[in-house]
């Protein structure tokens, strides 16, 4: 089945922030400032020239950064809610499915080996950890997105990251996607980010390339689909943090209609 276009891919702890990931590569990043927080997002999709009335396959690249004005350790992202343009879709029919249980407590190689055919995106993320009375350190990880299938009218995506040093922990973010009817918006995604390093870890950057082709019933399929009826794509979202701060923003990005 097809669902509205989930740009929230994004993202283990960081990928959930990809509200502005639909930006065209040539356009400026979106910057949101709330209190002491500074959130920066950018990305692009290809091809940019798209049919007016028919969804075709695309590849999405997203990136983002979370920092503070005073350079202190940022609060942890706990939830991200996104409403995205009705002109996109996820096409997961016939694509193998992974489960959360296969990804929990697994490092990246074992997670990939558990569900190799369900992978729909790859990238990387940096997570800053600050334990009490200790200087902060940054843990690096690959970021892998897995198709979680469709159940109860909701599409699931799992975003896996693994911190290997000096702490060892898998971080699996669950994204639930449902259809809405709200003017230009046709999709609502809710990403729930688990506590990282006992609550002392915070995502500070990410990048993710999402999209793939596969074969179903002898026909080539694309996981991400998009059309461009009027030269623009819209998204709006809210990021919630562990200190109670909420950061909201919207984006309008261009595409080139054809046909």
């Amino acid at each position: 089945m097809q669902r509205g276009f989930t740009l929230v891919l994004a993202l283990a702890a960081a990928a959930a922030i990809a509200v502005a990931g639909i930006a065209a590569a040539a356009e400026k990043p979106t910057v949101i400032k709330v209190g002491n927080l500074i959130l920066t997002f950018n990305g692009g999709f290809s091809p940019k020239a798209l049919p007016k009335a028919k969804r075709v396959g695309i590849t999405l690249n997203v990136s983002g950064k979370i920092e503070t004005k005073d350079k202190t350790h940022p609060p942890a992202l706990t939830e991200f809610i996104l409403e995205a343009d009705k002109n996109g879709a996820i096409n997961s029919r016939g694509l193998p499915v992974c489960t959360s249980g296969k990804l929990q407590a697994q490092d990246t190689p074992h997670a990939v080996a558990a569900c190799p055919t369900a992978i729909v995106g790859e990238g990387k993320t940096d997570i800053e950890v600050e334990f009490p009375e200790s200087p902060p350190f940054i843990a690096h990880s690959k970021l892998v997105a897995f198709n979680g299938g469709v159940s109860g009218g909701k599409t699931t995506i799992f975003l896996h990251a693994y911190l290997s040093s000096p702490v060892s922990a898998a971080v699996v973010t669950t994204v639930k996607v449902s259809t809405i009817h709200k003017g230009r918006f046709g999709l609502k995604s809710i990403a729930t980010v688990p506590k990282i390093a006992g609550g002392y870890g915070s995502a500070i950057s990410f990048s993710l390339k999402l999209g793939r082709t596969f074969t179903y019933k002898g026909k080539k399929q694309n996981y991400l689909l998009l059309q461009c009826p009027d030269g623009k794509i819209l998204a709006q979202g809210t990021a919630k943090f562990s200190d109670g701060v909420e950061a909201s923003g919207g984006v309008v990005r261009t595409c080139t209609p054809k046909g």
Side-chain angles (χ1 to χ4, degrees):
M1 66 185 295
Q2 292 185 356
R3 291 284 176 192
F5 187 41
T6 176
L7 302 181
V8 73
L9 291 157
L11 139 206
I17 319 167
V19 59
I22 200 155
E27 295 181 273
K28 294 181 179 180
T30 295
V31 179
I32 302 171
K33 297 181 180 180
V34 179
N36 193 41
L37 275 176
I38 304 173
L39 290 75
T40 305
F41 309 102
N42 206 351
F45 54 85
S46 61
K48 189 175 179 181
L50 301 166
K52 293 180 180 180
K54 180 183 179 181
R55 293 180 178 129
V56 297
I58 65 164
T59 298
L60 178 68
N61 288 278
V62 297
S63 63
K65 181 170 64 174
I66 300 175
E67 56 188 330
T68 56
K69 294 179 181 177
D70 60 7
K71 305 304 179 182
T72 56
H73 179 67
L77 179 72
T78 58
E79 186 178 67
F80 187 81
I81 301 171
L82 175 75
E83 293 177 338
D85 203 298
K86 65 182 181 181
N87 285 300
I90 300 175
N91 173 31
S92 61
R93 187 189 312 182
L95 189 62
V97 172
C98 192
T99 65
S100 177
K102 292 181 179 180
L103 303 175
Q104 298 290 346
Q106 301 293 330
D107 61 16
T108 301
H110 284 90
V112 169
C115 300
T117 57
I119 294 173
V120 292
E122 295 185 348
K124 58 183 179 180
T125 183
D126 291 336
I127 296 173
E128 183 177 279
V129 181
E130 184 179 60
F131 292 117
E133 300 180 1
S134 299
F137 62 88
I138 297 176
H140 310 284
S141 174
K142 288 191 64 176
L143 185 61
V144 185
F146 296 88
N147 174 43
V150 180
S151 178
K154 294 183 178 181
T155 299
T156 298
I157 300 168
F158 296 115
L159 303 155
H160 179 277
Y162 185 79
L163 311 184
S164 59
S165 179
V167 295
S168 298
V171 181
V172 181
T173 294
T174 301
V175 184
K176 295 288 186 179
V177 186
S178 57
T179 299
I180 60 173
H181 302 282
K182 189 178 178 181
R184 183 60 181 253
F185 302 106
L187 165 83
K188 185 175 183 178
S189 300
I190 300 177
T192 303
V193 185
K195 286 185 177 181
I196 304 171
Y200 297 110
S202 301
I204 59 171
S205 69
F206 75 92
S207 63
L208 181 70
K209 181 178 182 180
L210 185 74
R212 61 168 289 184
T213 60
F214 60 99
T215 300
Y216 178 59
K217 292 186 176 180
K219 294 184 178 181
K220 183 179 178 180
Q221 306 287 331
N222 290 280
Y223 180 66
L224 295 184
L225 304 170
L226 188 63
Q227 64 187 25
C228 179
D230 58 6
K232 60 185 179 181
I233 301 296
L234 282 67
Q236 61 184 21
T238 298
K240 298 183 179 182
F241 294 85
S242 58
D243 61 353
V245 170
E246 295 187 7
S248 298
V251 292
V252 179
R253 302 304 189 194
T254 61
C255 54
T256 303
K258 66 178 185 178

